Amino acid sequence: MLATRHPVIALVGNPNTGKTTLFNALAGMNQRVGNYPGVTVETKKGRFKHRGQTVEVIDLPGTYSLAARSPDEMVAVDVILGHNAGEQRPDVVVTIVDASNLERNLYLTTQVLELGVPVVVALNMMDVAQGQGLNIDVPRLARNLGVPVVPVQANKGKGLEDLKDAVAETIAAKTQSTGPSFPEPFEKEVVTLHGRLGNGVEPFLIRRLLLDVGGYTEQVLSTRHGAHLLEEVKTARHRLTEAGCSVPGVEARTRYAWIRNATADCVKRPAQRPVSWTDRLDRVLTHRIWGTVIFLGLMFLVFQSIFFWARPLMDLVGGGFDWLKEVTTGDMEPGPLRDLLGEGVIQGIGGVLVFLPQILILFAFIAILEDCGYMARAAFLMDRLMARCGLNGKSFIPLLSSMACAVPGIMAARVIENRRDRFATILVAPLMSCSARLPVYILLAGAFLGDTDVYPLWLPGLAIFGMYCIGLVLAPLIAFLLKRTLLKGDAPVFVMEMPLYKKPAFLQVARRSVEAGWMFVRRAGTIILASMIVIWALLYFPTHDAANANGVSFPNQRAKLEKEIDRAKKSLKNANAEEKEQIEAEIEKHEDEIKVLSQRWKEQSYLGQLGQFIEPAVVPLGWDWRIGVGALASFPAREVIVPTLGLLFGVGEGDAGEDEYLTQLGSQMKKENWRGTSVPLFTIPTAFSIMVFFALCCQCASTLAVIKRETNSWAWPAFTFVYMTVLAYVAALFVYQVGMLIG
Amino acid sequence: MTTLDQLKRGEHGIVTAVAGEDAIGQRLLEMGLLEGEEVEVLAFAPLGDPIEIRIRDYRLSLRKAEAARVSVQPGPATQ
């Protein structure tokens, strides 16, 4: 079937103008998110039907200006100019304009007018403008701007039909307006450069080339046309300064003068600006003391919610998958297939979905904070603190969230517009001590510092607090270094609008939260699942005992023992007291045999062999090969270390609760010796060396998968993995060696 | 004549110039900080930086280093 081309419209607007709300109102559930190659910002595409005609909608990233300084900022221009392969220019660009803040919003519209595509202005938030006493004569504004202007209320779905009608008419009529004209000397330079570069370069880009000193257009055109182009542009700019229209000022002056002229006779302002709710709220919320107190209270609530409220839900997901494994594999024949399904696939999917509660809750919070306008205030309050390590105020929430879990934390970094700041935040977020590290800390601090006869009661707590501090100190430090090396560049612009406060819309909040969850499952989930299966296989194969190559394979031996236990349990019902004791002893014996078997199996697995191979590398950290294997096995997910150590040291999880299990494992570990000696394996320096290693190492496939997704490149997760692993190794080495010197 | 970062909370001023042709200078201009516009300082963040101002019907926050590029003529307060 031949695909007929549907008309395409692109939505453009400043942040906080209700652009996404309008897009959702137009496209409904019928939308998909995408990235253009090489950029990290998302564009959404959707479609709607209007009077029998299907119309495609592209939602472009919110921006104040089309002056691009990076590929991310170039997306809107590239889409509207039709520069992306396989895409045509949109038929109409709809610019969404906040009626209560008309002048600054129209600035972007005047830029869009120069792109040579018909424009329709959607005038949003008329109610807010009226509340501020502004009176806008819409027909007159449309006449002055030379384009249709349609009042809409995106959050209430009002004016949508009028907007669609206006779009349809504009598509049919193909009417275009040109917007402001620049001073004569400037237009002359544009004509000269256009003649020089030829028709392949749109006049819009030539204006940008002249206006954006050090901008993205300079980069693109100078690589295409030679570096000497920059010299020509420089002399052109010099001539413009002499003629009294220096860049970049000439653009803002020309546009704002034109806008003021176009709005002069159609916007009536009150003689005195009424005091708004935003004025009243900001007196408290951006107050030096009260603002900070309220902010800290809110952050405490957010942190609590992802740390503690998500816990029961996560347990529910975990329990659900244990049950699912039981149900699906219970009746299957023992063998690799059953184990792959049960221990690899189902456990793996569970390992992905277990993050969902945290992601949903955190994103609901972020959506509420952003939708109601508070997020900008939070960034405002925290900016100075974060600026000291080269980040900005918006990095605070992602880093705080990472103390519960780096996965939602990294996703939360999307609110940071500046690419370098966003990347620096993402790369250091995994250094914050997440909740998965806590069991390791509890196990080791409890076992080695928890002896109340020797150590004060508060020592284990202090040690755990110290582990959290390592992240809190190192994350800003590494960010500082990154901003001076890999992510070096111009000082980021922290010029941020403080939007009006408004009630958060429930639907928007729910949508953002579900979108984030779905994105995680679909994009990161597959990578997590794959790595879980790989690690499972490395611990599972080879299945034959090297010492007894012709004997029964490990899984079959285990299956046999499990059957014995099952049979014994069944016979327990009809047994008398004496028999019962005997059977129970038998069950215990089989369970012990399974432990020994699993231990030997793990030891001979590929991962176990690797652990023994790398033992020389981990001995300087005070570890033997078993701890080495534990650390290796924990690379996909660090929480795996506790059950892995349990397996290696022969402490079964059994029916004991988690606390009791940790205590049992701790006391068993204290009894362990170095291979073939009576020198205790675990000393306080070793315990600290493990804790520090786990505090700093990037043992989380999910985190790496999410970094890949958010940076749209494999290079950054690879870098994160390497720098964190090296850091962890060096720090653990240092801790152990210094610890041994002190004694 | 002074610069925007020197104004105190609640003070008004008229912009007389914005310095710099780099990204920051351009962004300030784009956001509407232009000669002849009135600005009002609304708040200071806890550590004295950044500041929150009112310009052209909306609120903007910027760091002091950026505000220092904006020359202003203090007063007249509209009220």
PDB file of all heavy atoms in Angstrom, chain A residues 34 43 77 99 127 166 218 242 270 313 317 325 377 388 430-431 452 512 526 656 721 729 743:
ATOM      1  N   GLY A  34      10.831   9.934  20.821  1.00  0.00           N
ATOM      2  CA  GLY A  34      12.000   9.532  20.049  1.00  0.00           C
ATOM      3  C   GLY A  34      13.164  10.487  20.240  1.00  0.00           C
ATOM      4  O   GLY A  34      12.997  11.593  20.743  1.00  0.00           O
ATOM      5  N   THR A  43      11.946  14.267  21.313  1.00  0.00           N
ATOM      6  CA  THR A  43      10.832  14.864  20.605  1.00  0.00           C
ATOM      7  C   THR A  43       9.708  13.850  20.631  1.00  0.00           C
ATOM      8  O   THR A  43       9.957  12.653  20.539  1.00  0.00           O
ATOM      9  CB  THR A  43      11.198  15.174  19.141  1.00  0.00           C
ATOM     10  OG1 THR A  43      11.959  14.072  18.649  1.00  0.00           O
ATOM     11  CG2 THR A  43      12.003  16.426  19.014  1.00  0.00           C
ATOM     12  N   VAL A  77      15.210  23.746  15.051  1.00  0.00           N
ATOM     13  CA  VAL A  77      15.519  24.362  13.760  1.00  0.00           C
ATOM     14  C   VAL A  77      15.615  23.291  12.668  1.00  0.00           C
ATOM     15  O   VAL A  77      15.052  23.439  11.580  1.00  0.00           O
ATOM     16  CB  VAL A  77      16.842  25.156  13.847  1.00  0.00           C
ATOM     17  CG1 VAL A  77      17.233  25.685  12.479  1.00  0.00           C
ATOM     18  CG2 VAL A  77      16.711  26.292  14.847  1.00  0.00           C
ATOM     19  N   ALA A  99      -0.183  34.020  27.466  1.00  0.00           N
ATOM     20  CA  ALA A  99      -0.795  35.344  27.325  1.00  0.00           C
ATOM     21  C   ALA A  99      -0.407  36.277  28.472  1.00  0.00           C
ATOM     22  O   ALA A  99      -0.400  37.496  28.309  1.00  0.00           O
ATOM     23  CB  ALA A  99      -2.315  35.204  27.260  1.00  0.00           C
ATOM     24  N   ASP A 127      -6.795  32.956  30.944  1.00  0.00           N
ATOM     25  CA  ASP A 127      -7.402  33.133  32.276  1.00  0.00           C
ATOM     26  C   ASP A 127      -6.405  33.755  33.242  1.00  0.00           C
ATOM     27  O   ASP A 127      -6.753  34.636  34.031  1.00  0.00           O
ATOM     28  CB  ASP A 127      -7.936  31.797  32.802  1.00  0.00           C
ATOM     29  CG  ASP A 127      -6.932  30.659  32.675  1.00  0.00           C
ATOM     30  OD1 ASP A 127      -6.008  30.782  31.832  1.00  0.00           O
ATOM     31  OD2 ASP A 127      -7.049  29.664  33.412  1.00  0.00           O
ATOM     32  N   ALA A 166      -8.031  26.538  12.521  1.00  0.00           N
ATOM     33  CA  ALA A 166      -7.069  27.543  12.057  1.00  0.00           C
ATOM     34  C   ALA A 166      -5.891  26.873  11.372  1.00  0.00           C
ATOM     35  O   ALA A 166      -5.386  27.352  10.347  1.00  0.00           O
ATOM     36  CB  ALA A 166      -6.593  28.390  13.234  1.00  0.00           C
ATOM     37  N   GLU A 218      27.920  28.435  13.529  1.00  0.00           N
ATOM     38  CA  GLU A 218      29.337  28.693  13.201  1.00  0.00           C
ATOM     39  C   GLU A 218      30.066  27.368  13.002  1.00  0.00           C
ATOM     40  O   GLU A 218      30.782  27.181  12.023  1.00  0.00           O
ATOM     41  CB  GLU A 218      30.025  29.455  14.337  1.00  0.00           C
ATOM     42  CG  GLU A 218      29.864  30.955  14.277  1.00  0.00           C
ATOM     43  CD  GLU A 218      30.710  31.665  15.330  1.00  0.00           C
ATOM     44  OE1 GLU A 218      31.519  30.999  16.008  1.00  0.00           O
ATOM     45  OE2 GLU A 218      30.548  32.888  15.476  1.00  0.00           O
ATOM     46  N   GLU A 242      30.395  48.954  13.681  1.00  0.00           N
ATOM     47  CA  GLU A 242      30.673  50.321  13.216  1.00  0.00           C
ATOM     48  C   GLU A 242      29.397  51.009  12.752  1.00  0.00           C
ATOM     49  O   GLU A 242      29.217  52.203  12.953  1.00  0.00           O
ATOM     50  CB  GLU A 242      31.672  50.274  12.055  1.00  0.00           C
ATOM     51  CG  GLU A 242      32.930  49.508  12.396  1.00  0.00           C
ATOM     52  CD  GLU A 242      34.167  50.349  12.238  1.00  0.00           C
ATOM     53  OE1 GLU A 242      34.464  50.678  11.078  1.00  0.00           O
ATOM     54  OE2 GLU A 242      34.825  50.640  13.264  1.00  0.00           O
ATOM     55  N   PRO A 270      -3.331  47.062  33.575  1.00  0.00           N
ATOM     56  CA  PRO A 270      -3.905  47.853  34.663  1.00  0.00           C
ATOM     57  C   PRO A 270      -2.899  48.928  35.093  1.00  0.00           C
ATOM     58  O   PRO A 270      -1.690  48.746  34.917  1.00  0.00           O
ATOM     59  CB  PRO A 270      -4.123  46.835  35.768  1.00  0.00           C
ATOM     60  CG  PRO A 270      -3.149  45.748  35.480  1.00  0.00           C
ATOM     61  CD  PRO A 270      -2.960  45.725  33.996  1.00  0.00           C
ATOM     62  N   LEU A 313       6.080  -1.925  48.355  1.00  0.00           N
ATOM     63  CA  LEU A 313       5.750  -2.215  46.960  1.00  0.00           C
ATOM     64  C   LEU A 313       6.840  -3.059  46.307  1.00  0.00           C
ATOM     65  O   LEU A 313       6.583  -3.972  45.538  1.00  0.00           O
ATOM     66  CB  LEU A 313       5.581  -0.916  46.172  1.00  0.00           C
ATOM     67  CG  LEU A 313       4.304  -0.130  46.471  1.00  0.00           C
ATOM     68  CD1 LEU A 313       4.366   1.262  45.872  1.00  0.00           C
ATOM     69  CD2 LEU A 313       3.101  -0.882  45.934  1.00  0.00           C
ATOM     70  N   VAL A 317       6.629  -6.770  44.645  1.00  0.00           N
ATOM     71  CA  VAL A 317       7.109  -7.171  43.322  1.00  0.00           C
ATOM     72  C   VAL A 317       8.036  -8.381  43.472  1.00  0.00           C
ATOM     73  O   VAL A 317       7.892  -9.384  42.780  1.00  0.00           O
ATOM     74  CB  VAL A 317       7.866  -6.011  42.630  1.00  0.00           C
ATOM     75  CG1 VAL A 317       8.502  -6.491  41.330  1.00  0.00           C
ATOM     76  CG2 VAL A 317       6.920  -4.863  42.354  1.00  0.00           C
ATOM     77  N   LYS A 325       7.935 -17.792  39.889  1.00  0.00           N
ATOM     78  CA  LYS A 325       8.985 -18.765  39.619  1.00  0.00           C
ATOM     79  C   LYS A 325       8.540 -20.140  40.119  1.00  0.00           C
ATOM     80  O   LYS A 325       8.687 -21.141  39.433  1.00  0.00           O
ATOM     81  CB  LYS A 325      10.246 -18.317  40.345  1.00  0.00           C
ATOM     82  CG  LYS A 325      11.428 -19.242  40.181  1.00  0.00           C
ATOM     83  CD  LYS A 325      12.593 -18.731  40.984  1.00  0.00           C
ATOM     84  CE  LYS A 325      13.551 -19.845  41.320  1.00  0.00           C
ATOM     85  NZ  LYS A 325      14.560 -19.416  42.285  1.00  0.00           N
ATOM     86  N   ARG A 377      12.041  27.063  42.028  1.00  0.00           N
ATOM     87  CA  ARG A 377      12.400  27.646  43.334  1.00  0.00           C
ATOM     88  C   ARG A 377      13.430  26.771  44.038  1.00  0.00           C
ATOM     89  O   ARG A 377      14.350  27.281  44.671  1.00  0.00           O
ATOM     90  CB  ARG A 377      11.158  27.800  44.215  1.00  0.00           C
ATOM     91  CG  ARG A 377      10.400  29.087  44.017  1.00  0.00           C
ATOM     92  CD  ARG A 377       9.617  29.073  42.749  1.00  0.00           C
ATOM     93  NE  ARG A 377       8.971  30.350  42.447  1.00  0.00           N
ATOM     94  CZ  ARG A 377       8.210  30.549  41.383  1.00  0.00           C
ATOM     95  NH1 ARG A 377       8.013  29.587  40.509  1.00  0.00           N
ATOM     96  NH2 ARG A 377       7.670  31.720  41.178  1.00  0.00           N
ATOM     97  N   ARG A 388      29.323  25.568  43.536  1.00  0.00           N
ATOM     98  CA  ARG A 388      30.697  25.397  44.035  1.00  0.00           C
ATOM     99  C   ARG A 388      31.375  24.188  43.416  1.00  0.00           C
ATOM    100  O   ARG A 388      32.581  24.163  43.290  1.00  0.00           O
ATOM    101  CB  ARG A 388      30.654  25.224  45.559  1.00  0.00           C
ATOM    102  CG  ARG A 388      30.145  26.474  46.232  1.00  0.00           C
ATOM    103  CD  ARG A 388      30.892  26.781  47.505  1.00  0.00           C
ATOM    104  NE  ARG A 388      30.527  28.121  47.939  1.00  0.00           N
ATOM    105  CZ  ARG A 388      29.999  28.403  49.116  1.00  0.00           C
ATOM    106  NH1 ARG A 388      29.821  27.455  50.004  1.00  0.00           N
ATOM    107  NH2 ARG A 388      29.691  29.637  49.423  1.00  0.00           N
ATOM    108  N   PRO A 430      25.824   7.828  40.498  1.00  0.00           N
ATOM    109  CA  PRO A 430      26.003   6.489  41.075  1.00  0.00           C
ATOM    110  C   PRO A 430      26.971   6.445  42.259  1.00  0.00           C
ATOM    111  O   PRO A 430      27.058   5.419  42.929  1.00  0.00           O
ATOM    112  CB  PRO A 430      26.572   5.664  39.906  1.00  0.00           C
ATOM    113  CG  PRO A 430      26.375   6.472  38.686  1.00  0.00           C
ATOM    114  CD  PRO A 430      26.277   7.889  39.099  1.00  0.00           C
ATOM    115  N   LEU A 431      27.682   7.549  42.517  1.00  0.00           N
ATOM    116  CA  LEU A 431      28.580   7.563  43.678  1.00  0.00           C
ATOM    117  C   LEU A 431      27.808   7.753  44.983  1.00  0.00           C
ATOM    118  O   LEU A 431      28.312   7.445  46.064  1.00  0.00           O
ATOM    119  CB  LEU A 431      29.602   8.696  43.552  1.00  0.00           C
ATOM    120  CG  LEU A 431      30.758   8.487  42.591  1.00  0.00           C
ATOM    121  CD1 LEU A 431      31.554   9.760  42.446  1.00  0.00           C
ATOM    122  CD2 LEU A 431      31.663   7.355  43.069  1.00  0.00           C
ATOM    123  N   THR A 452      29.368  -5.355  71.350  1.00  0.00           N
ATOM    124  CA  THR A 452      29.204  -4.250  72.309  1.00  0.00           C
ATOM    125  C   THR A 452      30.144  -4.359  73.511  1.00  0.00           C
ATOM    126  O   THR A 452      30.318  -3.401  74.254  1.00  0.00           O
ATOM    127  CB  THR A 452      27.754  -4.154  72.810  1.00  0.00           C
ATOM    128  OG1 THR A 452      27.321  -5.472  73.125  1.00  0.00           O
ATOM    129  CG2 THR A 452      26.854  -3.543  71.764  1.00  0.00           C
ATOM    130  N   ARG A 512       3.321  11.669  33.382  1.00  0.00           N
ATOM    131  CA  ARG A 512       4.783  11.764  33.471  1.00  0.00           C
ATOM    132  C   ARG A 512       5.360  10.569  34.202  1.00  0.00           C
ATOM    133  O   ARG A 512       6.378   9.997  33.814  1.00  0.00           O
ATOM    134  CB  ARG A 512       5.187  13.028  34.255  1.00  0.00           C
ATOM    135  CG  ARG A 512       5.050  14.312  33.509  1.00  0.00           C
ATOM    136  CD  ARG A 512       6.333  14.739  32.799  1.00  0.00           C
ATOM    137  NE  ARG A 512       7.543  14.722  33.565  1.00  0.00           N
ATOM    138  CZ  ARG A 512       8.063  15.770  34.184  1.00  0.00           C
ATOM    139  NH1 ARG A 512       7.431  16.931  34.155  1.00  0.00           N
ATOM    140  NH2 ARG A 512       9.197  15.670  34.817  1.00  0.00           N
ATOM    141  N   THR A 526      15.573  -4.146  28.992  1.00  0.00           N
ATOM    142  CA  THR A 526      16.117  -5.202  28.147  1.00  0.00           C
ATOM    143  C   THR A 526      17.601  -5.425  28.437  1.00  0.00           C
ATOM    144  O   THR A 526      18.061  -6.555  28.481  1.00  0.00           O
ATOM    145  CB  THR A 526      15.945  -4.827  26.670  1.00  0.00           C
ATOM    146  OG1 THR A 526      16.286  -3.455  26.520  1.00  0.00           O
ATOM    147  CG2 THR A 526      14.528  -5.034  26.214  1.00  0.00           C
ATOM    148  N   ALA A 656      14.891 -18.016  57.956  1.00  0.00           N
ATOM    149  CA  ALA A 656      15.247 -16.928  58.857  1.00  0.00           C
ATOM    150  C   ALA A 656      14.901 -15.591  58.206  1.00  0.00           C
ATOM    151  O   ALA A 656      14.951 -15.443  56.998  1.00  0.00           O
ATOM    152  CB  ALA A 656      16.736 -16.969  59.168  1.00  0.00           C
ATOM    153  N   PHE A 721      31.704   3.305  34.326  1.00  0.00           N
ATOM    154  CA  PHE A 721      32.093   2.017  34.858  1.00  0.00           C
ATOM    155  C   PHE A 721      33.587   2.007  35.186  1.00  0.00           C
ATOM    156  O   PHE A 721      34.001   1.614  36.275  1.00  0.00           O
ATOM    157  CB  PHE A 721      31.759   0.928  33.841  1.00  0.00           C
ATOM    158  CG  PHE A 721      32.140  -0.443  34.296  1.00  0.00           C
ATOM    159  CD1 PHE A 721      31.353  -1.121  35.207  1.00  0.00           C
ATOM    160  CD2 PHE A 721      33.300  -1.040  33.843  1.00  0.00           C
ATOM    161  CE1 PHE A 721      31.709  -2.374  35.653  1.00  0.00           C
ATOM    162  CE2 PHE A 721      33.667  -2.296  34.279  1.00  0.00           C
ATOM    163  CZ  PHE A 721      32.866  -2.966  35.190  1.00  0.00           C
ATOM    164  N   TYR A 729      38.712   0.428  43.568  1.00  0.00           N
ATOM    165  CA  TYR A 729      39.858  -0.443  43.819  1.00  0.00           C
ATOM    166  C   TYR A 729      40.944   0.312  44.580  1.00  0.00           C
ATOM    167  O   TYR A 729      41.458  -0.163  45.602  1.00  0.00           O
ATOM    168  CB  TYR A 729      40.406  -0.966  42.488  1.00  0.00           C
ATOM    169  CG  TYR A 729      41.511  -1.976  42.667  1.00  0.00           C
ATOM    170  CD1 TYR A 729      41.215  -3.321  42.860  1.00  0.00           C
ATOM    171  CD2 TYR A 729      42.848  -1.577  42.669  1.00  0.00           C
ATOM    172  CE1 TYR A 729      42.219  -4.245  43.054  1.00  0.00           C
ATOM    173  CE2 TYR A 729      43.866  -2.501  42.868  1.00  0.00           C
ATOM    174  CZ  TYR A 729      43.540  -3.835  43.055  1.00  0.00           C
ATOM    175  OH  TYR A 729      44.537  -4.746  43.251  1.00  0.00           O
ATOM    176  N   GLY A 743      47.266  -1.411  62.356  1.00  0.00           N
ATOM    177  CA  GLY A 743      47.158  -2.634  63.153  1.00  0.00           C
ATOM    178  C   GLY A 743      45.722  -2.929  63.422  1.00  0.00           C
ATOM    179  O   GLY A 743      45.316  -3.165  64.530  1.00  0.00           O
TER     180      GLY A 743
END
